[in-house]
Amino acid sequence: MNFPKDLISITDLNREQINEVLNLAKELKVDRYNDQKPLKGKTLGLFTTKPSLRTRLSFETGIFELGGNSLFIRNDEIGLGSRESFADIGRVLSRYLSAFIVRSHDHLGLIELAKFASIPIINALTDQEHPCQILADLLTLKENFGELKKLKLTYIGDGNNVCASLMLASAILGLEFMAITPASYEPSKNIVNQACHLAKLYESSAPIITNEPSEATKADVLYTDTWLSMGQESSKEKIVKDFQNYQINSKLLNSQKIPVLHCLPAHKGEEISEETFEENSKLIFEQAENRLHAQKALLVKLIGYTNS
Ligand code: CP
Ligand code: NVA
């Protein structure tokens, strides 16, 4: 099936397209070093204004394994939106590259860039969403739980970018999603409304948002992320106080063994205890590996589109 040009929000993909990416990712994982090089001769740009371990390495490795070349571009070189407008940079990039993978605070800037670029623009994390992470998470859930429909996925922590993309993807694929956050750290109303709308469209359950940590024990699988996203570090003291009842640990889980996912980097002793992290480390590092396989599949699908 045809794919959209860009992946800015996980909602740029419909249920069928997400499943296509996940199925191809499974194939590429089994046959990682095959001779097919769909990106042969192509150069992709990777740009970030924030730190990254997994995103940069998994994209660069994946592009190489698909036969392409990746260029890492720093913001002090191109000044996205400051030295030059998103619109002009988008039009220039399209003359050289086959795709541009961007990590930036500015979600609307990415939308603007995508509007003016003729090549795929891929969101590698904005303050609003992290769709590439969520493709890897869905792959991990499929591998470990099989059927995703009706799986009770509960996110606990800050209602941030990762929470937003997970909630939206759950509505598209039919997972039963709950977000447990402290008061005033709930996901944005816009995203919740969008998820409710998608849930209706796909006949899924609407997301549940609560401030009650004990609800975590009802989940099939839990998910957490840092309480402080990149750029929010200065509010550390306040955040740690507000979140003290929201750590995933054996007390919160009543000693139940519920599997836990974490997008990483983890702050052990904050959103998750060291013990619970280590008990789930096999799953969590599988999830990190799956960034590679899911993104390779995504690149094949999106860049295949520009060739057709
Ligand atoms: N999970 C994730 O995106 O990790 P990085 O910030 O290290 O890329
Ligand atoms: N919510 C985190 C995710 C890091 C992968 C952040 O934005 O920093």
Side-chain angles (χ1 to χ4, degrees):
M1 104 177 281
N2 268 352
F3 268 67
K5 178 174 83 66
D6 310 296
L7 180 71
I8 307 291
S9 163
I10 193 68
T11 61
D12 291 335
L13 302 179
N14 61 29
R15 183 182 282 180
E16 210 177 334
Q17 289 160 338
I18 293 178
N19 280 326
E20 267 195 44
V21 171
L22 300 182
N23 290 339
L24 180 59
K26 271 194 198 164
E27 284 174 31
L28 293 172
K29 185 170 181 176
V30 174
D31 189 17
R32 178 164 169 187
Y33 301 106
N34 66 39
D35 289 337
Q36 285 174 22
K37 301 291 171 207
L39 299 187
K40 187 162 179 254
K42 295 184 189 300
T43 298
L44 285 74
L46 185 56
F47 169 88
T48 173
T49 60
K50 310 183 190 184
S52 167
L53 170 67
R54 281 145 291 272
T55 304
R56 178 176 179 185
L57 295 189
S58 57
F59 264 115
E60 294 215 69
T61 306
I63 291 165
F64 179 76
E65 289 179 7
L66 293 170
N69 177 42
S70 80
L71 275 184
F72 186 70
I73 304 150
R74 292 158 46 109
N75 196 35
D76 57 6
E77 288 163 344
I78 65 170
L80 189 67
S82 54
R83 179 172 183 262
E84 207 162 348
S85 69
F86 285 93
D88 288 356
I89 290 181
R91 285 179 285 187
V92 172
L93 290 173
S94 306
R95 306 289 171 128
Y96 311 132
L97 302 174
S98 295
F100 193 53
I101 300 154
V102 191
R103 170 169 285 196
S104 158
H105 290 286
D106 190 350
H107 192 81
L108 292 178
L110 245 69
I111 294 174
E112 174 83 355
L113 187 68
K115 193 169 118 196
F116 284 90
S118 58
I119 56 169
I121 302 297
I122 298 174
N123 178 354
L125 182 135
T126 60
D127 288 352
Q128 195 165 313
E129 278 208 51
H130 199 359
C132 294
Q133 175 68 52
I134 271 53
L135 290 174
D137 302 340
L138 293 169
L139 178 61
T140 313
L141 289 172
K142 245 185 187 278
E143 287 174 335
N144 286 276
F145 298 91
E147 181 61 47
L148 296 183
K149 219 167 186 265
K150 306 248 178 244
L151 188 73
K152 289 189 175 62
L153 171 63
T154 297
Y155 175 94
I156 176 160
D158 180 29
N160 62 15
N161 42 14
V162 169
C163 174
S165 294
L166 266 184
M167 177 163 50
L168 294 167
S170 297
I172 296 171
L173 293 184
L175 289 85
E176 293 184 5
F177 182 84
M178 178 186 284
I180 306 176
T181 73
S184 83
Y185 294 91
E186 293 92 353
S188 84
K189 284 212 165 57
N190 276 351
I191 297 280
V192 176
N193 288 342
Q194 205 186 344
C196 290
H197 171 76
L198 286 165
K200 264 201 192 126
L201 193 70
Y202 287 99
E203 299 180 349
S204 312
S205 335
I208 297 172
I209 316 294
T210 173
N211 305 128
E212 183 42 69
S214 65
E215 289 289 313
T217 53
K218 297 182 186 155
D220 294 323
V221 55
L222 290 166
Y223 193 121
T224 191
D225 180 19
T226 179
W227 292 338
L228 284 168
S229 285
M230 287 179 263
Q232 299 178 326
E233 289 79 2
S234 60
S235 14
K236 183 157 180 125
E237 212 173 296
K238 176 174 180 283
I239 292 242
V240 169
K241 192 166 138 277
D242 292 348
F243 281 79
Q244 59 179 336
N245 296 324
Y246 295 81
Q247 181 189 85
I248 305 188
N249 55 35
S250 55
K251 185 167 164 243
L252 181 91
L253 300 184
N254 255 334
S255 300
Q256 279 189 71
K257 299 287 174 214
I258 302 176
V260 182
L261 292 177
H262 194 309
C263 60
L264 301 175
H267 305 80
K268 298 167 208 170
E270 293 185 15
E271 71 272 8
I272 188 164
S273 67
E274 173 101 41
E275 185 197 7
T276 305
F277 181 87
E278 289 308 330
E279 280 168 8
N280 289 281
S281 58
K282 186 170 172 289
L283 187 62
I284 291 170
F285 290 108
E286 190 70 23
Q287 180 189 3
E289 180 188 324
N290 281 341
R291 294 292 302 274
L292 172 77
H293 310 300
Q295 287 159 194
K296 281 173 74 178
L298 176 74
L299 291 175
V300 171
K301 294 289 177 186
L302 292 188
I303 297 177
Y305 168 87
T306 57
N307 283 340
S308 64

